[in-house]
Amino acid sequence: MAWVILVAMLALLQFVFFGIKVGQARGKYGVKAPATTGNEIFERYNRVHQNTMEQLIVFIPGLFAFAHLISPVWAAGIGVVYIVGRFMYYSGYIADPEKRGTGTMVTMLASQVLVLGSIVGVVLALI
């Protein structure tokens, strides 16, 4: 489980990193708190951060459930795919929102494998 915990903590650090980037963009583009609009580039950073928070709600429980029910090694590996997908999403979205698709798909695929795999694990454990 140590690998799973490491991956979960890295995902959380990634979220913090994205938050720091939002703060830097806020200063660079002159978007004063509490505003969340006003500059398109700032809004991209902000959306990456917010979307990552939304994705973590699915990813973290799915990661731990999959690790417990199926395999911690596979969970950690799929978790790394999620983290890479989030960085792909980040770099694509910041460059051009139309380029976020691949990162979105990698992220969602990893999360859905974890969640659906966990459901299969639960069903198998119950029968």
Side-chain angles (χ1 to χ4, degrees), residues 17 56 60 79-80 89 102 106 111:
F17 169 76
L56 281 170
I60 296 290
V80 169
Y89 178 81
T102 302
V106 171
S111 291

mmCIF file of all heavy atoms in Angstrom, residues 17 56 60 79-80 89 102 106 111:
data_model
loop_
_atom_site.group_PDB
_atom_site.id
_atom_site.type_symbol
_atom_site.label_atom_id
_atom_site.label_comp_id
_atom_site.label_asym_id
_atom_site.label_seq_id
_atom_site.Cartn_x
_atom_site.Cartn_y
_atom_site.Cartn_z
ATOM 1 N N PHE A 17 0.348 22.293 -6.543
ATOM 2 C CA PHE A 17 1.148 22.952 -7.578
ATOM 3 C C PHE A 17 0.249 23.759 -8.523
ATOM 4 O O PHE A 17 0.538 24.920 -8.837
ATOM 5 C CB PHE A 17 1.967 21.911 -8.357
ATOM 6 C CG PHE A 17 2.611 22.460 -9.592
ATOM 7 C CD1 PHE A 17 3.746 23.255 -9.516
ATOM 8 C CD2 PHE A 17 2.084 22.178 -10.852
ATOM 9 C CE1 PHE A 17 4.340 23.758 -10.664
ATOM 10 C CE2 PHE A 17 2.665 22.675 -12.003
ATOM 11 C CZ PHE A 17 3.806 23.466 -11.919
ATOM 12 N N LEU A 56 -10.262 14.750 -8.511
ATOM 13 C CA LEU A 56 -9.748 14.091 -7.302
ATOM 14 C C LEU A 56 -10.855 13.408 -6.503
ATOM 15 O O LEU A 56 -10.614 12.393 -5.850
ATOM 16 C CB LEU A 56 -9.007 15.094 -6.413
ATOM 17 C CG LEU A 56 -7.592 15.444 -6.843
ATOM 18 C CD1 LEU A 56 -7.071 16.621 -6.016
ATOM 19 C CD2 LEU A 56 -6.659 14.255 -6.749
ATOM 20 N N ILE A 60 -9.311 9.652 -5.868
ATOM 21 C CA ILE A 60 -8.770 9.198 -4.573
ATOM 22 C C ILE A 60 -9.539 7.995 -4.014
ATOM 23 O O ILE A 60 -8.926 6.975 -3.690
ATOM 24 C CB ILE A 60 -8.698 10.359 -3.549
ATOM 25 C CG1 ILE A 60 -7.710 11.437 -4.026
ATOM 26 C CG2 ILE A 60 -8.339 9.852 -2.168
ATOM 27 C CD1 ILE A 60 -6.243 11.052 -4.011
ATOM 28 N N GLY A 79 -2.693 4.966 -11.069
ATOM 29 C CA GLY A 79 -2.610 6.298 -10.471
ATOM 30 C C GLY A 79 -1.549 7.163 -11.128
ATOM 31 O O GLY A 79 -1.744 8.372 -11.317
ATOM 32 N N VAL A 80 -0.435 6.571 -11.500
ATOM 33 C CA VAL A 80 0.608 7.324 -12.213
ATOM 34 C C VAL A 80 0.075 7.789 -13.564
ATOM 35 O O VAL A 80 0.337 8.925 -13.988
ATOM 36 C CB VAL A 80 1.887 6.473 -12.359
ATOM 37 C CG1 VAL A 80 2.871 7.129 -13.320
ATOM 38 C CG2 VAL A 80 2.537 6.250 -10.998
ATOM 39 N N TYR A 89 -3.322 17.461 -19.370
ATOM 40 C CA TYR A 89 -4.467 18.361 -19.353
ATOM 41 C C TYR A 89 -3.996 19.794 -19.073
ATOM 42 O O TYR A 89 -4.380 20.747 -19.768
ATOM 43 C CB TYR A 89 -5.461 17.895 -18.291
ATOM 44 C CG TYR A 89 -6.675 18.768 -18.143
ATOM 45 C CD1 TYR A 89 -7.752 18.657 -19.009
ATOM 46 C CD2 TYR A 89 -6.761 19.706 -17.109
ATOM 47 C CE1 TYR A 89 -8.879 19.457 -18.866
ATOM 48 C CE2 TYR A 89 -7.874 20.503 -16.962
ATOM 49 C CZ TYR A 89 -8.926 20.379 -17.840
ATOM 50 O OH TYR A 89 -10.038 21.171 -17.693
ATOM 51 N N THR A 102 -6.844 15.269 -24.935
ATOM 52 C CA THR A 102 -6.064 14.058 -24.652
ATOM 53 C C THR A 102 -5.858 13.899 -23.155
ATOM 54 O O THR A 102 -6.039 12.804 -22.606
ATOM 55 C CB THR A 102 -4.715 14.096 -25.397
ATOM 56 O OG1 THR A 102 -4.963 14.229 -26.793
ATOM 57 C CG2 THR A 102 -3.918 12.833 -25.130
ATOM 58 N N VAL A 106 -7.162 10.736 -20.833
ATOM 59 C CA VAL A 106 -6.242 9.912 -20.040
ATOM 60 C C VAL A 106 -6.655 9.932 -18.578
ATOM 61 O O VAL A 106 -6.719 8.887 -17.917
ATOM 62 C CB VAL A 106 -4.778 10.386 -20.226
ATOM 63 C CG1 VAL A 106 -3.841 9.697 -19.243
ATOM 64 C CG2 VAL A 106 -4.320 10.158 -21.655
ATOM 65 N N SER A 111 -9.288 7.115 -13.978
ATOM 66 C CA SER A 111 -10.257 7.155 -12.871
ATOM 67 C C SER A 111 -11.356 6.114 -13.054
ATOM 68 O O SER A 111 -11.753 5.446 -12.092
ATOM 69 C CB SER A 111 -10.871 8.551 -12.754
ATOM 70 O OG SER A 111 -9.922 9.478 -12.312
#
